[in-house]
Amino acid sequence: MPRLALYALAVCVLAVVAAVVSFVQGNWLGIVWVLLAGLSSNMGWYYLRRARFERAAVTAATAPAAEAPRGVTG
């Protein structure tokens, strides 16, 4: 798992915990924590998908190319 995705996941978990604590204490500032959790969650998904696509591109580039079908000559 990419390092940036792990950091984003950690921020997401901490933001959710902070939001829960804030709402339990009756503080409406927890809405900011919920927004931060959503943003960091999206960032985590982005970095995971980007790493997966980069890995697939490297695999495709290093794999031997299949023989292309030949056209009909005539």
Side-chain angles (χ1 to χ4, degrees):
M1 185 177 267
R3 185 178 305 159
L4 287 175
L6 287 174
Y7 290 157
L9 179 64
V11 169
C12 181
V13 169
L14 291 173
V16 168
V17 170
V20 168
V21 169
S22 182
F23 284 132
V24 166
Q25 291 178 350
N27 191 355
W28 285 97
L29 193 62
I31 293 173
V32 174
W33 292 114
V34 170
L35 294 174
L36 182 64
L39 175 68
S40 61
S41 172
N42 287 341
M43 288 175 59
W45 279 115
Y46 170 76
Y47 287 123
L48 279 175
R49 286 180 48 114
R50 189 174 90 172
R52 187 182 317 147
F53 288 141
E54 286 176 356
R55 198 173 335 134
V58 167
T59 304
T62 59
E67 189 173 317
R70 296 182 183 170
V72 177
T73 59

